[in-house]
Each structure stands twice: as structure tokens, then as C-alpha cells.
Amino acid sequence: MWLARALQSQGFGSRKGCVLRVRSGAVSINGVVCDDPEHEVDPAGLELTIDGVTWPYREKAYVLLHKPAGYECSQKPKHHPSVYSLLPSPLIERDVQCVGRLDQDTTGLLLLSDDGQFIHRMTSPKKGVAKVYRATCADPVTDAALAALRNGVLLNDEPAPIAALACEALDTHTLQLTLAEGKYHQVKRMIAATGNRVERLHRVAIGAFSLPATLAPGSWCWLEAADLQQLETPWPSAKS
């Protein structure tokens, strides 16, 4: 494809704006400056440098964000800053969407993508992709509460009890809960149904992919093919 088209596809502005940017000499291809907007480039392995910032070509954007507390998963936040403010403008221009949402006070693993089919696969309960949360509770975690969460608790407006795929205590006040779906405030509501209250909530994993310890809160990174494969690993009981 033409260089200007490749630039536009990566979220660097309109076609006209990308043409002007290339002509200004602000764009390099694999380290070599190119000022021809119609220069043919091979997307495979393409690495662009725009105004001194290196940007690998991605046909689809798959992004991991370590969400900090105090941010809303909305492009039009009401009470707190948006998680989109933590991303570079090209990703916002590409219209990446949150893959499910975390409450403003919930931290941890948040996916964003511009691939609608990927978003559907990751959020549909029918796909059996598990989400793992670590909840710190106000009161001690009891064996009875753990059993209730494993067997199913009844929530308001739900026709049947909802059970965790797995649930274990990590210490006296902290438990790890694995869910197959992501209903509104689900973890908090499930724990409240046992007579306890969540004080801190952190998503640690999706599928077989865990939030890297090296990714600081508020930071983001690209997801690679191996990461996507781990993310889409279904819970064992969901495998056909």
C-alpha cells in the first residue's frame, strides 16, 4: 500500500494530513526518511517512525492497559478521567474500544481493540473465556462464603443463582474469583450476597493470560499473537 495510506490506517490523521506529514520529511520507513506519500510499502514487518516516535504497523490494534483506580472506561466520562486519556492519540483515532468495562475504582487488566470480532469473542459468555479477579474484603473471608460463591448466589434482577468457576481464599480478607461473564458490578454483588463487602478489586487475568508484573499502573503495551492465543483460551469445562 502507499505510505500515506499506511500512515492513515495507523491513526495518524486524515489522508490529506498524512500526505502532508510524509512530504514534510517527518516519516521514516524502517529508519530511512521517505517524503513520497505514494511510496509502496509492505505492511509485513513495517516499522514507521513519525516525528521521532517509532510505531510498528498493526493491521488490527490489540492493546493491554494496566488500569489504575480513578478512571472510567468511557470516552465520555462523567465523574473521573477516561482510560482513553492514558493512550496515545493514534490509538484513539483508530477508535479502539474497551473489551468489557471495569468500574472506576477497579484496577488491573483491561483490553482495548478495534477488532469487533475479537471484542465479541472476549465478552460473550458462550465463548467460555474466564476472567480472574482478586478482591479484598471488609470482613474476613469465611469457608461458608467461599462455598456459596462456588455453588451460586442469587443476585437482584437475575432469574437464577450465579456461580463462580473457581474461588479460593488468598489470605484472611482476600479471595480470588474466576467468572465466566461480566455482569454489572458482578464481583461486588456476588460478594455482597455472602454478607461481605469489596474494598479493593483487581483483575489479574483473562483466559490463560495474566497481567504482567512489569507493566506499571497507567501503562499500556501491544499484545502479540502468543498473548492473544492465551487470552482466548477457554475455561477447561467450556472446551468442546
Side-chain angles (χ1 to χ4, degrees), residues 169-216:
L170 300 180
D171 59 38
T172 58
H173 286 72
T174 307
L175 60 83
Q176 186 160 290
L177 196 68
T178 303
L179 303 178
E181 51 198 336
K183 296 180 181 294
Y184 180 71
H185 292 323
Q186 184 173 346
V187 176
K188 296 175 181 178
R189 293 165 66 205
M190 289 180 70
I191 292 176
T194 71
N196 209 332
R197 176 171 56 84
V198 172
E199 291 193 329
R200 291 192 301 276
L201 187 61
H202 182 75
R203 183 154 67 188
V204 298
I206 295 178
F209 180 84
S210 297
L211 179 67
T214 54
L215 189 66

Side-chain angles (χ1 to χ4, degrees), residues 48-64:
L48 300 168
T49 302
I50 301 96
D51 296 325
V53 178
T54 299
W55 195 266
Y57 178 90
R58 306 275 174 156
E59 182 178 357
K60 293 291 185 180
Y62 305 99
V63 171
L64 165 64

Side-chain angles (χ1 to χ4, degrees), residues 121-122 124-133 150 163-168 176-181 205-209 229-240:
R121 291 195 303 272
M122 295 304 301
S124 172
K126 296 180 180 179
K127 300 300 180 180
V129 178
K131 286 80 175 176
V132 185
Y133 298 86
R150 295 188 193 106
L165 295 173
C167 183
E168 62 177 328
Q176 186 160 290
L177 196 68
T178 303
L179 303 178
E181 51 198 336
I206 295 178
F209 180 84
Q229 186 175 11
Q230 286 187 306
L231 282 165
E232 298 197 51
T233 300
W235 188 252
S237 62
K239 293 180 180 178
S240 57

Side-chain angles (χ1 to χ4, degrees), residues 24-100:
S24 73
V27 180
S28 298
I29 305 170
N30 299 331
V32 179
V33 174
C34 179
D35 59 5
D36 179 5
E38 298 182 6
H39 178 78
E40 291 283 348
V41 295
D42 181 359
L46 178 62
E47 189 173 82
L48 300 168
T49 302
I50 301 96
D51 296 325
V53 178
T54 299
W55 195 266
Y57 178 90
R58 306 275 174 156
E59 182 178 357
K60 293 291 185 180
Y62 305 99
V63 171
L64 165 64
L65 175 69
H66 185 163
K67 181 188 174 296
Y71 284 81
E72 295 183 25
C73 293
S74 172
Q75 292 180 335
K76 296 180 180 180
K78 295 181 179 179
H79 306 293
H80 303 273
S82 169
V83 293
Y84 292 93
S85 67
L86 301 171
L87 300 175
S89 57
L91 288 177
I92 298 171
E93 184 72 21
R94 288 183 68 158
D95 196 28
V96 295
Q97 302 294 316
C98 292
V99 183

